[in-house]
Amino acid sequence: MGVSLKDIAQRAGVSLATVSNVVNGYRPVGERTRQRVQQAIDELGYSPNLGARHLRRGRTGLIALAVPELTNPYFAELAEIAISEAAGLGYTLVMENTAADREAELALLDGTRQRVIDGLILSPVRIGREEVLARTAGGPLVLIGEGVYDVPHDHIAIDNVAASHAAIRHLVAIGRRRIAFIGATAGGDRQSAHLRVRGYREALAAAGLPYRPLLVARTDAFGRLDGRRAMHDLLARGDRPDAVFAYNDLVAIGALRALAEAGHRVPEDVAVVGIDDIEDGRFSAPTLTTIAPDKREIGRLAVRRLVARIEGAEVAGPLSVQTPFRLIRRESTGTPGG
Amino acid sequence: MGVSLKDIAQRAGVSLATVSNVVNGYRPVGERTRQRVQQAIDELGYSPNLGARHLRRGRTGLIALAVPELTNPYFAELAEIAISEAAGLGYTLVMENTAADREAELALLDGTRQRVIDGLILSPVRIGREEVLARTAGGPLVLIGEGVYDVPHDHIAIDNVAASHAAIRHLVAIGRRRIAFIGATAGGDRQSAHLRVRGYREALAAAGLPYRPLLVARTDAFGRLDGRRAMHDLLARGDRPDAVFAYNDLVAIGALRALAEAGHRVPEDVAVVGIDDIEDGRFSAPTLTTIAPDKREIGRLAVRRLVARIEGAEVAGPLSVQTPFRLIRRESTGTPGG
DNA sequence: CTTCGCCTGTATAACGTTATAGAGCCGCGC
DNA sequence: GCGCGGCTCTATAACGTTATACAGGCGAAG
């Protein structure tokens, strides 16, 4: 079908190996020969058959980024960054959607898929430390987010507890005392929610505020619909909070909607803070105060670590990296002066 | 490294070809032999090396979906559908981000990438009919959206003009007369915007309303920021519209934001309609009336057509398919009764 | 009894690449 | 004159799979 090394070799009157060396620079080639070969390549429009190359090399040049939901803008923004970073390193990034499904995550961990992918970046949701430890086969694995800790793999995440502290401190600083949390799961299956609840409780304690279980609302998933439903639940309990800290921006936006539907003003009656800094939050009414992770850093680091492992390079530094974050004040907690 | 056909063949005491036939069912295998081979496969945990398979078959099993922006929820939602449809057909879908860049689109059309991908689903933005016609090499191509018409490729899109008519009819029905349009590009490079403007003009005419150039606002891109800026521009002209029809939901959401910032009420002062039915519009304040394309149908159809072409099947029906859409009334044009 | 065809299984040649062993040539030093 | 190392380049064996040609056995048809 396409133009192969053989065609170039014939045209240039050299051997296959020489053409390969011109293309890959694995061994030096004489200047005259190189030019003849290069000319043949240009004329015939040769591009290597990656399948064959990778069969020979044992690598496919494909890495995967598996996220629980593509439609969460946080992951979409992360994906854009990771795709471009991977391209810069000569890799193609494949998106996988686990749909926050346990089976899907397990299948990715050590399924047949691994045979075609050089490495995997996974944002785990339904699996834990044991499942990751049980994995034996498959290429390098980089974990992102707060799902799994203490495993022998690279791990990139923000410091969730510190992030919660920052959010609560901000709410306390603007005079809120009855601060609710939305996003704790019923089961033990979403680790990051637990961490965020822990940060919430610790930060409340640090501020001298009591922890009230009635101000914690569970959700099944972490989308706008879940946030809206949980906020309505919270309001139905009769004990209205004066602030809400949400598991992420989507949940926060759902909460904003529920508050509007119930006739409460934000931030006057209830202040709202999310996490992720997705673009939606800059255009919601009111705009959303949020904890902004450094998505660029997370995406770049995850891809670089993975590629380094694939290529067998020594990777300096600890396995687990915490990336920076900052609090962005917007209307949902009252703007400082703009 | 992994377990190969050879290992299985040795274990089961048969030839390579027989194992291959058990795995692929290309040729019948005796029942006793089949069982022995199957047992060896289970014991050793064999899974085929896809690289080698595809080198031999001449296909990679990869198809690409190239969109102008991953962070537009419309494309994220479409991608989720397409990924799952492709998986069902035994293909892996790779996301490509053209970033609405002309060079990126051209590179995808006949670049080296094609060598590793069996086929491409492209949402063109900056290239036109000529560029697509100029393409000679590369696998099957399916176009989605309204960028390019009249080319010898499958094409899936909604009827843009009809969609515009529906939107305008709705605005007229609720008593609006000064209907603006946001999203026309300056250059000729975004075809769908022109079509939507055409639909807008025709529908105005059909409703007996004059076309006023001052009510058409250009944007460079089609995100929230662009919508916001364009809406501010429109308001700055002093000739306030009583309704806005936006190029898509993101632009509409940007416009909502600008209207709020300028102190106008929606829908009382200005009604707003978008296109895409992204989830954001169901949670904005106010919620967004929109033209909802059948994303599931578009995603499924695009993948199915592409796979059919790859596998050389006869594809019935015309190349160009128009998928259904419907108008969803929400708060931004005044809810009918809820 | 042959011939044909079917059934089951085998041997082997691709697919396009890269890595390895080695061939030819030249110049240098003994 | 000869051995030796360095420089180019070539020939070829993999990588793991699938498709093709073929071999052997056996029953049915001639």
Side-chain angles (χ1 to χ4, degrees):
Chain A
M1 191 179 291
V3 182
S4 79
L5 272 192
K6 193 151 68 173
D7 302 321
I8 305 296
Q10 277 182 357
R11 175 91 160 210
V14 295
S15 77
L16 276 181
T18 301
V19 181
S20 174
N21 283 329
V22 169
V23 174
N24 298 291
Y26 170 68
R27 281 242 190 135
V29 174
E31 190 49 36
R32 275 182 53 84
T33 321
R34 141 166 280 116
Q35 284 185 3
R36 261 217 323 282
V37 171
Q38 190 57 53
Q39 193 183 346
I41 289 179
D42 293 343
E43 284 173 11
L44 296 182
Y46 167 77
S47 67
N49 178 320
L50 300 185
R53 164 176 290 176
H54 295 136
L55 166 60
R56 187 62 239 262
R57 285 189 177 163
R59 298 206 205 113
T60 62
L62 255 47
I63 60 180
L65 170 60
V67 300
E69 61 237 338
L70 266 182
T71 44
N72 183 333
Y74 173 73
F75 290 116
E77 292 174 21
L78 192 65
E80 280 198 351
I81 293 164
I83 284 177
S84 103
E85 181 72 17
L89 295 173
Y91 283 75
T92 299
L93 190 139
V94 178
M95 293 296 301
E96 295 277 352
N97 185 14
T98 64
D101 176 56
R102 184 180 160 81
E103 295 310 315
E105 294 185 6
L106 285 174
L108 274 169
L109 257 198
D110 43 20
T112 61
R113 228 344 150 10
Q114 283 301 77
R115 204 67 184 266
V116 77
I117 282 170
D118 292 341
L120 174 66
I121 301 172
L122 174 66
S123 173
V125 169
R126 301 281 180 205
I127 60 173
R129 191 163 167 271
E130 308 74 37
E131 288 86 346
V132 173
L133 287 175
R135 176 184 130 111
T136 57
L141 172 68
V142 172
L143 299 166
I144 57 175
E146 302 79 19
V148 173
Y149 282 95
D150 290 325
V151 287
H153 296 283
D154 290 298
H155 181 211
I156 323 277
I158 66 171
D159 181 342
N160 243 319
V161 171
S164 299
H165 276 250
I168 301 294
R169 255 200 318 275
H170 171 54
L171 290 171
V172 170
I174 62 170
R176 305 305 161 119
R177 294 294 176 267
R178 306 184 41 74
I179 303 172
F181 180 82
I182 297 185
T185 34
D189 50 0
R190 188 122 175 180
Q191 187 70 10
S192 53
H194 285 279
L195 286 174
R196 287 181 192 173
V197 172
R198 203 182 106 203
Y200 161 76
R201 292 188 65 164
E202 289 183 9
L204 285 184
L209 295 175
Y211 168 66
R212 315 191 195 202
L214 275 178
L215 288 181
V216 173
R218 292 172 179 162
T219 60
D220 295 327
F222 298 87
R224 297 179 183 89
L225 278 169
D226 308 287
R228 178 180 172 205
R229 191 182 313 121
M231 189 71 233
H232 276 304
D233 287 353
L234 217 47
L235 292 172
R237 293 178 195 164
D239 203 19
R240 206 194 72 199
D242 59 10
V244 170
F245 175 40
Y247 173 83
N248 68 17
D249 281 359
L250 284 184
V251 167
I253 286 172
L256 285 182
R257 176 75 201 158
L259 286 164
E261 287 167 350
H264 298 294
R265 292 166 305 160
V266 178
E268 293 82 352
D269 302 333
V270 183
V272 176
V273 177
I275 300 188
D276 281 354
D277 187 30
I278 61 179
E279 203 193 65
D280 309 45
R282 296 200 274 276
F283 285 84
S284 56
T287 54
L288 183 66
T289 293
T290 191
I291 301 284
D294 190 339
K295 278 172 283 217
R296 184 154 300 278
E297 183 69 7
I298 294 174
R300 284 180 47 175
L301 219 49
V303 170
R304 288 191 176 186
R305 288 265 174 142
L306 187 67
V307 168
R309 300 280 178 201
I310 290 169
E311 298 183 346
E314 281 301 309
V315 178
L319 278 175
S320 191
V321 175
Q322 292 191 330
T323 50
F325 65 85
R326 62 205 175 85
L327 177 82
I328 300 182
R329 298 188 59 173
R330 298 211 188 90
E331 292 164 6
S332 70
T333 59
T335 40
Chain B
M1 190 178 292
V3 182
S4 79
L5 271 192
K6 192 152 67 177
D7 302 320
I8 305 295
Q10 275 181 0
R11 175 91 160 209
V14 295
S15 76
L16 276 182
T18 301
V19 182
S20 174
N21 283 330
V22 169
V23 174
N24 298 291
Y26 170 66
R27 279 236 193 143
V29 174
E31 190 49 36
R32 274 182 54 85
T33 322
R34 141 166 280 116
Q35 284 185 5
R36 262 216 325 283
V37 171
Q38 189 58 52
Q39 194 183 345
I41 289 178
D42 294 343
E43 284 173 12
L44 296 181
Y46 166 78
S47 69
N49 179 318
L50 299 186
R53 166 176 288 177
H54 294 137
L55 166 60
R56 187 59 239 259
R57 285 189 177 164
R59 298 205 205 115
T60 63
L62 255 47
I63 59 179
L65 170 60
V67 301
E69 60 238 337
L70 267 182
T71 45
N72 184 333
Y74 173 74
F75 290 115
E77 293 174 21
L78 192 64
E80 280 199 350
I81 293 163
I83 284 178
S84 105
E85 181 72 17
L89 295 174
Y91 284 75
T92 299
L93 190 139
V94 178
M95 293 295 302
E96 296 277 352
N97 186 13
T98 64
D101 176 56
R102 184 180 159 81
E103 295 310 315
E105 293 185 6
L106 285 174
L108 273 168
L109 256 198
D110 43 20
T112 61
R113 226 353 149 4
Q114 284 299 78
R115 202 68 183 265
V116 77
I117 283 169
D118 292 340
L120 174 65
I121 302 172
L122 174 66
S123 174
V125 169
R126 300 282 180 205
I127 59 173
R129 191 164 167 270
E130 307 74 35
E131 288 88 346
V132 173
L133 287 176
R135 173 183 133 113
T136 57
L141 172 68
V142 172
L143 300 165
I144 57 174
E146 301 79 19
V148 173
Y149 282 95
D150 289 326
V151 288
H153 296 284
D154 289 299
H155 181 211
I156 324 277
I158 65 170
D159 181 342
N160 243 319
V161 170
S164 300
H165 275 251
I168 301 293
R169 253 200 318 273
H170 172 53
L171 290 171
V172 169
I174 61 170
R176 306 304 162 120
R177 294 293 176 269
R178 305 183 42 74
I179 303 172
F181 180 82
I182 296 185
T185 35
D189 49 1
R190 188 123 177 180
Q191 189 68 13
S192 53
H194 285 280
L195 286 175
R196 288 182 192 172
V197 173
R198 203 182 106 203
Y200 161 77
R201 292 188 65 165
E202 289 183 9
L204 284 184
L209 295 174
Y211 167 67
R212 314 189 195 201
L214 275 178
L215 288 182
V216 173
R218 292 173 181 163
T219 60
D220 295 327
F222 298 87
R224 297 178 183 88
L225 278 169
D226 308 287
R228 177 180 174 207
R229 191 181 313 121
M231 189 72 233
H232 277 304
D233 287 354
L234 216 47
L235 292 172
R237 293 178 194 163
D239 204 16
R240 206 194 72 197
D242 58 11
V244 170
F245 175 40
Y247 173 82
N248 67 16
D249 280 359
L250 285 184
V251 167
I253 286 172
L256 286 182
R257 175 77 200 155
L259 286 164
E261 287 167 351
H264 296 295
R265 293 165 305 161
V266 177
E268 292 84 352
D269 301 333
V270 182
V272 176
V273 177
I275 301 188
D276 280 353
D277 187 30
I278 62 180
E279 202 192 64
D280 309 43
R282 296 200 274 277
F283 285 84
S284 56
T287 54
L288 183 66
T289 292
T290 190
I291 301 284
D294 189 339
K295 278 172 279 213
R296 183 152 302 277
E297 183 68 9
I298 294 173
R300 284 180 47 177
L301 218 50
V303 170
R304 288 191 176 186
R305 288 266 174 142
L306 187 65
V307 168
R309 299 281 179 201
I310 289 170
E311 299 183 345
E314 280 301 310
V315 178
L319 279 175
S320 191
V321 174
Q322 293 192 330
T323 52
F325 65 85
R326 63 206 175 84
L327 177 82
I328 300 183
R329 297 188 60 173
R330 298 210 189 90
E331 292 164 3
S332 70
T333 58
T335 40

